[in-house]
Amino acid sequence: MLLFVALSALFTAGFPSDMNQTESAEQLCSACDFREHSKQLRLHSIKSQILSILRLEQAPNISRDMIRQLLPKAPPLTQLLDQYDPRVEEEEDHATTETIITIATKPNPIEVEDFSSCCLFSLSPKIQPRNILRAQLWVHLRPAAMVTTVFLQISRLKQGREGNNTRVRVRSLNIDTDAGASSWQSVDIKSLLQAWLRQPEENYGIEINAFDSNGGDLAVTSSEPGEEGLQPFIEVKILDSPRRSRRDSDLNCDEDSSETRCCRYPLTVDFEQFGWDWIIAPKRYRANYCSGECEFMHLQQFPHAHLVNKANPRGTAGPCCTPTKMSPINMLYFNRKEQIIYGKIPSMVVDHCGCS
C-alpha cells in the first residue's frame, strides 16, 4: 500500500514536468515556423519593392554574358566596384546623391546619314537641369602608333534652317599620348546636358572625333569586335531630395534564439540566387526581418503601441511586429534600357523592429 502511494506521488509529480517540456517544444517549433514564414514574406517583399521603385514590371532579362559586353571597362565603374559600400550607415536627414551612367547608342543612319561618328544618349527622366551636380562624357582612345598629340573634338549635332544637319563644336582638347597606349578621357558636358534637357527637341546627339597627327581617328564610338565595353558613356551625378527616418527601441535576436517577443533577425539577400544578374553590385546584402509576438504583457517595451492599445482596446488584431526604422542601400544596376545606374534604393535594410 505504501509502495503504491509512493509510486503514485512520483508519477503525479513527474507528469506536469513532461507536459511543460512538450508544450515548450511545441511553442519553440511554432515560433520557428512563424519566423520562416516572416523570412519568406520579407524576401518576396524585397523583390517586389525593388521592381516597384525602379518602375519595372519584371526583372530585366540581362545575362552575365551580356553584362560582360555592356559593362564599360572605365575608371568610374572600376572605382565604384572597388570602393563599393553595400550599407549606408549615415542618417537620412540630408540631401543624397545618385550617379547615372548612360551608354552611347548609334543613331538611325537614315536620320543622320552624314554623321559617321554620331552618338545618341537616352537620358533618365531623373536627370533634370537643376539637379545636375556633375556631368562627364567619357571617351576611349585607341592606341596611337607613335608619340603624338591627339585633338579630341566634341560637336553637338543640330538641324539647320534648310533641314540640313550641322555641327556646333562645344569642347576641344589637346591630349598628349604615348605610343601603343590606349586611355579613357573625360570631358565636362554639364552645360551641354542642361541645354539638351531644356530643349530636348534639338537633341540630335553628339559627334566625337580624336584625330592624331596623321589624321587618324582614335575615338571608339561604337562597340566593334574586340572593343566591347569601350563605347562612349555619360556619367551624371544628381542631387536627390532629403529623407528622414525615426528611431525606436528594439530587440536583436539570432536564428537560435528562444525569444517570442517582437525581434529583429538577420537575413542575407543573395541576388544571384534570385537570378538577378542585372544587379551589378551588391551581389549580397544584409536585409534583416522582423518576427515575433506583440502580446499585451510585452507592450511596456513599446510605449507608443501600449498607448494605442489602451486607447482602442477593441481594435482588430492588436499591434504587429513591423520595421520601425529602415535604411537604404547603394546599388549599381542595369535598367530595362541597358543603362547603368548607381544610386540609393530606399527602405532595403531593417534597422529596428517594434510593435505598431
Side-chain angles (χ1 to χ4, degrees):
M1 183 65 177
L2 291 174
L3 180 61
F4 174 75
V5 172
L7 288 174
S8 298
L10 181 62
F11 178 78
T12 304
F15 186 73
S17 177
D18 293 340
M19 284 292 291
N20 290 338
Q21 291 178 2
T22 302
E23 290 177 359
S24 177
E26 289 178 353
Q27 289 176 355
L28 188 60
C29 183
S30 176
C32 291
D33 291 341
F34 187 75
R35 284 180 207 163
E36 182 62 28
H37 178 68
S38 299
K39 184 189 300 184
Q40 295 305 318
L41 284 177
R42 174 80 173 117
L43 289 171
H44 178 74
S45 173
I46 289 171
K47 286 183 180 181
S48 301
Q49 186 175 352
I50 289 176
L51 294 178
S52 175
I53 290 171
L54 302 183
R55 298 179 182 179
L56 299 172
E57 294 182 0
Q58 58 185 10
N61 185 20
I62 300 178
S63 66
R64 296 183 186 182
D65 290 337
M66 290 179 64
I67 289 177
R68 293 190 188 98
Q69 296 178 7
L70 293 172
L71 200 62
K73 303 166 186 174
L77 282 179
T78 303
Q79 292 169 7
L80 283 177
L81 293 174
D82 288 345
Q83 302 177 9
Y84 187 76
D85 179 10
R87 272 296 314 275
V88 179
E89 301 294 346
E90 61 196 293
E91 288 295 323
E92 290 300 297
D93 57 356
H94 60 279
T96 58
T97 60
E98 180 176 353
T99 301
I100 300 176
I101 293 176
T102 304
I103 303 172
T105 58
K106 296 296 288 185
N108 187 333
I110 298 177
E111 297 177 358
V112 284
E113 56 186 354
D114 53 336
F115 294 114
S116 60
S117 302
C118 178
C119 297
L120 288 176
F121 296 90
S122 178
L123 300 175
S124 168
K126 290 184 177 182
I127 303 174
Q128 299 297 324
R130 292 184 178 181
N131 70 357
I132 298 175
L133 296 178
R134 185 182 65 203
Q136 299 285 121
L137 171 67
W138 288 84
V139 181
H140 189 79
L141 303 185
R142 300 183 184 94
M146 62 184 74
V147 175
T148 185
T149 298
V150 175
F151 181 65
L152 177 62
Q153 179 175 299
I154 311 298
S155 301
R156 178 181 177 181
L157 307 182
K158 61 185 301 184
Q159 194 171 29
R161 294 181 179 179
E162 299 179 358
N164 298 324
N165 294 323
T166 60
R167 300 172 175 86
V168 178
R169 185 183 301 176
V170 291
R171 290 299 303 273
S172 58
L173 298 171
N174 289 327
I175 304 167
D176 295 328
T177 62
D178 296 328
S182 61
S183 64
W184 281 98
Q185 302 295 330
S186 65
V187 181
D188 183 1
I189 59 165
K190 180 178 178 179
S191 298
L192 172 61
L193 196 58
Q194 289 173 328
W196 276 354
L197 293 168
R198 291 189 178 102
Q199 296 178 308
E201 69 279 1
E202 295 187 6
N203 180 11
Y204 285 81
I206 59 176
E207 186 179 47
I208 303 171
N209 298 110
F211 298 110
D212 61 14
S213 56
N214 295 324
D217 194 348
L218 303 182
V220 177
T221 55
S222 61
S223 182
E224 302 296 336
E227 294 181 337
E228 294 84 358
L230 300 180
Q231 58 266 47
F233 65 91
I234 292 177
E235 176 195 11
V236 184
K237 187 174 183 178
I238 62 174
L239 188 68
D240 278 346
S241 58
R243 300 185 183 96
R244 291 186 179 272
S245 58
R246 62 186 178 89
R247 295 183 179 275
D248 204 348
S249 56
D250 70 328
L251 289 175
N252 294 317
C253 303
D254 56 40
E255 291 297 333
D256 298 326
S257 174
S258 58
E259 180 63 65
T260 59
R261 292 176 295 173
C262 179
C263 199
R264 186 185 72 158
Y265 291 89
L267 171 64
T268 298
V269 172
D270 190 331
F271 291 119
E272 290 184 334
Q273 288 184 355
F274 288 178
W276 284 10
D277 294 322
W278 57 279
I279 294 181
I280 304 169
K283 292 301 183 184
R284 303 169 76 244
Y285 88 97
R286 189 76 169 264
N288 305 323
Y289 70 101
C290 300
S291 184
E293 300 176 357
C294 287
E295 297 179 1
F296 183 76
M297 67 180 67
H298 300 322
L299 294 182
Q300 291 181 355
Q301 184 184 358
F302 309 103
H304 172 71
H306 182 45
L307 292 174
V308 171
N309 190 76
K310 290 187 68 176
N312 185 24
R314 297 182 182 180
T316 53
C320 298
C321 182
T322 59
T324 56
K325 181 181 183 294
M326 302 186 76
S327 60
I329 62 170
N330 290 330
M331 184 179 288
L332 185 68
Y333 62 93
F334 279 101
N335 64 11
R336 62 177 178 272
K337 294 182 180 180
E338 296 181 355
Q339 298 172 334
I340 299 174
I341 297 179
Y342 176 76
K344 288 184 179 179
I345 308 297
S347 303
M348 285 289 103
V349 180
V350 174
D351 294 316
H352 300 292
C353 299
C355 294
S356 60

